[in-house]
Structures are given as structure tokens and as C-alpha cells.
Amino acid sequence: MYNVLIVDDDFALRYILKRFHWKDYNFNIIAEASDGKEALEIIDKLDIDLVITDIRMPGMDGIELISQLNKQYPNICIILLSTYNDFEYAQQGIRNGVLDYLTKPVNSDELIKALNRVTDFLQNYTPKKEKVLSLSDSLPEYFCEGNKPDNLIVNICNLVLTNICNINLELVSNELQLSKDYICRIFKKKTDMSFLKYVTRVKMEYAKRLIIDNKYKTYEISSLLGYKTPDYFTKLFKNYTGFTPSEYRSSKIK
């Protein structure tokens, strides 16, 4: 059962949403909030899989909440609620990685479609501490036959491979209790590749797999891999492969 948080300052809308038969689709509303700040406080205490949030709210609005979720909780799925007048904001939310958006009043059929997409996304593409690539595939120049890899480099690579959605230098530094400068210096010295370049390589190789699967759009893959905008992800992907994500998909799927 996936846990849902509803965020809207409109009590009536929250009440209507709660009447939907969530459990029939393996979802359960376990909390509700009236603004983004309250939502973050709840998420900090509870295990939330899906946030359904309005755009316009007093205090922290939906767009700022989405931004904070992407930074702090990148594995949480987001559905954005909007009116037709808020379509420009909805587009901004999509660029920032929301999985879907629904217009008010919420249509049950559209909600069911959105929940099916969320289920598919959570089941298939939320890493659960499993490596997205093998060590040898991620850095064949270093993990080659006959080369005895350094334990520290192995640990660094494993952290990247099992935390691909939210990996950064600070996470590695905290996990290994080593300074960021030392990690960058030793990684470059041992592998002849910068830490950032390695992270980008792993993300792009994983992106290639997701694109070939042909289940998710570019902005969804971008969000999954922790990029703030699909445009930036597309630029990195083209620099790495020579193709845009859509061109790569077309070349691999006949």
C-alpha cells in the first residue's frame, strides 16, 4: 500500500479527494496539509510515497514545495492540482519533475490513470539500494581484468551506483567520513576521471536504459535522475551520446 499526502488549503477539496476509493488502487491517504511548510513537516516524520498538491496556497505554495521535495526527497512522486487558469504554473511544475497534473474539479477517471502511472513508476524505477550498473560497466577503464581496485574507490562507486537519484559529493563525504576535497583528489588520481564526470556517466548510462524501455517521458527520467530541468538533462544526454533522448529512443526502438 502506497502512502499519500494531500496538500491543499481548500478543506472541501481535501474532503472530496478522501472519499475516493484509494485502497482499490493500493493507495492510502495517511495525512493532509494546508500548505507546503506543513507538508514538509509531515514528510519529515512519515514515509510518504505520493504527494498530491495544489499550486496556489498561502505561505509556501505548490511550486516551492515541489522545489523542496526535489532537493530533499527526490524519490517521492508528485501529482499537481491546478485550475485551467493555472496552466502556466502547471507547466512550470512539469518542468520541475512532477509525474502528472490534474485539473480541478478532479475527475475520477483521470485520477485513476494518474495513480496507475504512479504505481508503475514506483514499482519499476524507484531504486531500492540496488545497483543501476555493475562496477565494471560503470568504469571499465579502472575495473578491468588484472587491475586490483582500491577499496576506497570501490566504496565511492558503490555509493554512486546505489544512490543514483540523490547522489552528490556531500552524501559520499558524510558516508565515508572523508573531506570532499580528498574524495575528489583521490578519485581523480586513481581513476583518471573526475567524480562529477563519473556520476554523469552513470546517470547517462542508466538514462539510456530507461529511454529504451520506452515507458516514461523525458521529463520523468530527468526527475528520476535528480536533474532540476529536462532541458539540462537533454543537454547532458546529447553531449554524452550525440543524440537527444527522443532521437536516441527512435534509433533504438524500431
Side-chain angles (χ1 to χ4, degrees), residues 138-139 142-143 152-158 160 169 172 180-199 202:
S138 72
L139 197 56
Y142 182 73
F143 295 104
L152 176 57
I153 301 302
V154 171
N155 289 338
I156 292 172
C157 290
N158 278 332
V160 173
L169 190 54
V172 177
K180 298 176 186 177
D181 288 342
Y182 179 77
I183 290 169
C184 289
R185 188 167 62 251
I186 196 68
F187 194 88
K188 175 70 173 177
K189 180 180 179 181
K190 295 284 187 177
T191 69
D192 200 30
M193 178 183 291
S194 72
F195 174 79
L196 178 59
K197 187 174 181 179
Y198 175 69
V199 170
V202 172

Side-chain angles (χ1 to χ4, degrees), residues 21-43:
H21 40 291
W22 295 90
K23 292 185 178 180
D24 290 352
Y25 298 90
N26 205 33
F27 287 86
N28 184 34
I29 296 177
I30 64 169
E32 52 188 289
S34 58
D35 62 33
K37 182 180 179 181
E38 184 182 1
L40 289 176
E41 292 172 353
I42 292 172
I43 292 168

Side-chain angles (χ1 to χ4, degrees), residues 59-203:
M60 182 186 293
D61 65 14
I63 299 301
E64 177 59 25
L65 173 59
I66 292 167
S67 176
Q68 292 301 317
L69 290 176
N70 285 336
K71 293 176 184 177
Q72 301 179 48
Y73 307 96
N75 288 341
I76 290 180
C77 285
I78 306 168
I79 292 177
L80 193 61
L81 299 175
S82 72
T83 65
Y84 287 109
N85 293 332
D86 289 331
F87 185 68
E88 184 176 340
Y89 289 100
Q91 288 180 312
Q92 184 178 344
I94 291 171
R95 288 195 295 269
N96 288 332
V98 302
L99 190 62
D100 214 332
Y101 80 93
L102 300 170
T103 56
K104 299 179 180 180
V106 177
N107 178 279
S108 293
D109 290 338
E110 294 302 317
L111 178 57
I112 291 169
K113 291 178 183 178
L115 293 180
N116 286 336
R117 293 187 68 195
V118 170
T119 298
D120 197 19
F121 189 87
L122 290 170
Q123 287 179 343
N124 293 291
Y125 293 115
T126 300
K128 296 177 175 62
K129 296 299 180 182
E130 298 174 356
K131 292 180 184 178
V132 296
L133 296 171
S134 67
L135 282 171
S136 58
D137 287 339
S138 72
L139 197 56
E141 303 93 327
Y142 182 73
F143 295 104
C144 58
E145 186 176 353
N147 183 37
K148 185 177 181 180
D150 184 283
N151 285 337
L152 176 57
I153 301 302
V154 171
N155 289 338
I156 292 172
C157 290
N158 278 332
L159 281 170
V160 173
L161 293 169
T162 55
N163 295 275
I164 195 61
C165 282
N166 59 344
I167 191 65
N168 55 48
L169 190 54
E170 185 174 1
L171 184 152
V172 177
S173 175
N174 291 338
E175 287 286 335
L176 300 179
Q177 294 296 294
L178 296 170
S179 73
K180 298 176 186 177
D181 288 342
Y182 179 77
I183 290 169
C184 289
R185 188 167 62 251
I186 196 68
F187 194 88
K188 175 70 173 177
K189 180 180 179 181
K190 295 284 187 177
T191 69
D192 200 30
M193 178 183 291
S194 72
F195 174 79
L196 178 59
K197 187 174 181 179
Y198 175 69
V199 170
T200 301
R201 170 189 279 192
V202 172
K203 289 191 175 188

